Amino acid sequence: MSIEDFNLPADTQLNVARKKWRSLRSLFQTSQEPLETHAKAEEDLRALPTIQLENLAPPVHWGAASTALDRFLTARPDDGPESEIFFLIGQPHVDQAAILRQWASSRKVEVLEGPDPAAILSGQWNVKKDRESAHYNWVIPELERWFLRHANGLWLVRELLEQAASGEMGGGIIGCNSWAWTYLQRVWPIPNPTALALQAFDGRALARYFMVSSLTGGEKQVRFLNARTGEPLFSSSGEKTGTEEEVSRELQQLAAHCRGNVAIARQYWRKRLRTAPESEQARTYDADAASPGPSAGEDVVWLAPGIEAPVLPVETGEDLIFILHNLLLHNGLSATTLAELMPLPKTQIVSNLLRLQSMELVQSSEDIWRVSALGYPGVREFLRSHGYLVDAF
């Protein structure tokens, strides 16, 4: 879909009121307070084993998005300009690079990868020219890998965008993280860009997605129950069976908290899923004859109340804030590269990263640090409320 048509899921009035109260309370908060305690009934619930979580909520498969992109491009008129450029913008943890690589593989299209950070800072890199004139004959999966927020780190992306906009490179598709996209609009405004994005998931879309994921992840049918009310969240067919208000409140709150980001919503969904000992399950069903017990081929999984979100303490210093902002702008960086972008020694940067990791705000994989899926909503709101440049999603 066009980026201009992107709409965030609506929040419930109750959740809006709660957010306003938490915001007001934070003005008088000097340190991070513990999360709200859950209802006593939740004390009897247990975390699910990792293998069961992987079956119930497997990693997001981006093949469907790649197929949708292919349908969109195939439907474009053949008489369009051969140097036409599209941008595919992805929120954090929405892997636009995977979508484009899958599409490029299916269409045998060349993939242009960005250079390493040292090459960008040294100026030792050339953008390829003189390509054959053809529709979408190249793909750049991660535009955020073509620049660094540094005095010597912007020349390459400016040259690349200039060549792409002028038609020198022929037609192509460029993927870009939403934070890098907002930043680059300030650095080198792209004339009349055609930008696409995945539509945000509302509560109903999340319900369908979670149900389909659970049906394909294991042999047993799964019944998801609200731990606060005992009501089913949706039926085995994927349709809601409880009241409209109950179902929409749980899943629409999740959708709104995650700003429609299905990859982040999946992490919160996994964090809230619980199981109960068989004796507890039986006691629950005996107490409520209207809720029949699980059948032989059925698993019962409970959705714990509330959304547990790690947050930054109010007194967070600028060093931590700059680290988080850089990680979002570049969709992840190594500690070594961060040391090139900030006036801090690498040892201090690593210390700060480990501190953020202990708060569940960042995570590391193959020496690349990123803002975590669970931490992202709180980090984004913190940066926005403190006047930092944030993405438009």
Side-chain angles (χ1 to χ4, degrees):
M1 58 163 287
S2 172
I3 197 171
E4 289 82 7
D5 298 326
F6 183 88
N7 292 310
L8 292 173
D11 207 347
T12 63
Q13 291 183 350
L14 176 61
N15 205 40
V16 169
R18 286 173 175 167
K19 287 180 179 178
K20 289 181 177 178
W21 166 243
R22 286 197 297 268
S23 178
L24 179 62
R25 187 178 60 183
S26 69
L27 295 176
F28 304 97
Q29 178 179 321
T30 58
S31 62
Q32 185 177 8
E33 294 181 358
L35 299 167
E36 294 181 6
T37 58
H38 293 155
K40 186 176 181 181
E42 193 186 352
E43 295 177 358
D44 297 326
L45 300 178
R46 302 289 183 267
L48 292 171
T50 301
I51 188 170
Q52 189 175 3
L53 280 176
E54 288 299 314
N55 286 332
L56 292 175
V60 179
H61 178 58
W62 301 109
S66 178
T67 301
L69 175 65
D70 188 67
R71 285 199 301 266
F72 172 84
L73 296 174
T74 302
R76 299 287 294 178
D78 292 334
D79 57 354
E82 292 186 339
S83 60
E84 190 172 23
I85 302 294
F86 283 98
F87 292 88
L88 179 63
I89 313 303
Q91 295 170 278
H93 298 278
V94 171
D95 199 346
Q96 90 281 340
I99 295 170
L100 289 178
R101 288 192 178 99
Q102 289 184 42
W103 180 83
S105 176
S106 68
R107 289 291 180 171
K108 304 298 189 291
V109 172
E110 183 181 9
V111 176
L112 306 181
E113 302 289 358
D116 61 56
I120 295 177
L121 293 176
S122 67
Q124 298 176 356
W125 187 266
N126 292 315
V127 179
K128 293 184 179 180
K129 296 184 180 181
D130 302 324
R131 299 181 175 280
E132 294 182 4
S133 181
H135 286 299
Y136 322 126
N137 61 35
W138 52 266
V139 160
I140 292 177
E142 299 173 284
L143 187 60
E144 58 269 22
R145 300 296 174 214
W146 292 73
F147 79 96
L148 291 168
R149 189 168 65 175
H150 185 278
N152 300 324
L154 296 173
W155 66 272
L156 177 59
V157 74
R158 284 173 169 151
E159 181 180 338
L160 174 69
L161 292 175
E162 180 181 353
Q163 291 187 26
S166 68
E168 292 183 48
M169 296 176 63
I173 307 174
I174 299 176
C176 188
N177 170 267
S178 59
W179 287 71
W181 177 253
T182 299
Y183 176 73
L184 291 174
Q185 296 276 30
R186 306 286 185 95
V187 174
W188 201 92
I190 302 163
N192 303 316
T194 302
L196 310 174
L198 300 182
Q199 175 57 54
F201 276 57
D202 60 12
R204 187 176 293 275
L206 284 182
R208 288 196 298 267
Y209 176 78
F210 291 144
M211 176 52 70
V212 170
S213 297
S214 70
L215 291 174
T216 58
E219 297 180 357
K220 285 189 175 182
Q221 182 177 334
V222 181
R223 186 194 304 189
F224 292 91
L225 301 180
N226 187 324
R228 181 171 54 86
T229 65
E231 293 286 341
L233 291 173
F234 32 79
S235 70
S236 59
S237 64
E239 297 297 329
K240 297 183 289 185
T241 58
T243 65
E244 178 73 20
E245 294 77 10
E246 184 63 31
V247 175
S248 63
R249 183 164 65 228
E250 291 296 329
L251 293 175
Q252 193 63 27
Q253 281 181 5
L254 177 60
H257 177 76
C258 298
R259 303 180 68 83
N261 187 321
V262 63
I264 292 178
R266 168 185 169 266
Q267 292 294 338
Y268 276 91
W269 177 254
R270 285 167 58 98
K271 190 175 180 66
R272 294 176 62 185
L273 294 181
R274 302 285 189 274
T275 187
E278 292 185 6
S279 58
E280 293 294 332
Q281 298 269 25
R283 200 157 47 236
T284 300
Y285 288 118
D286 289 343
D288 183 6
S291 297
S295 61
E298 182 182 62
D299 280 335
V300 173
V301 176
W302 301 82
L303 184 69
I307 296 177
E308 300 178 359
V311 296
L312 281 162
V314 173
E315 70 276 10
T316 299
E318 288 188 350
D319 289 350
L320 293 182
I321 297 174
F322 288 156
I323 286 175
L324 291 167
H325 202 233
N326 271 311
L327 294 182
L328 288 170
L329 284 184
H330 296 92
N331 194 25
L333 292 168
S334 68
T336 300
T337 304
L338 273 171
E340 295 282 354
L341 307 184
M342 298 180 62
L344 294 174
K346 182 180 176 180
T347 53
Q348 187 173 343
I349 287 175
V350 171
S351 176
N352 285 330
L353 286 169
L354 292 174
R355 180 183 172 193
L356 290 168
Q357 185 181 48
S358 71
M359 293 187 280
E360 298 185 287
L361 295 171
V362 302
Q363 58 194 33
S364 175
S365 176
E366 299 180 350
D367 295 327
I368 299 297
W369 292 87
R370 290 182 173 87
V371 174
S372 68
L374 294 177
Y376 175 70
V379 169
R380 186 189 188 281
E381 177 57 25
F382 187 95
L383 293 173
R384 186 202 64 78
S385 64
H386 284 71
Y388 283 80
L389 181 68
V390 300
D391 72 346
F393 290 75

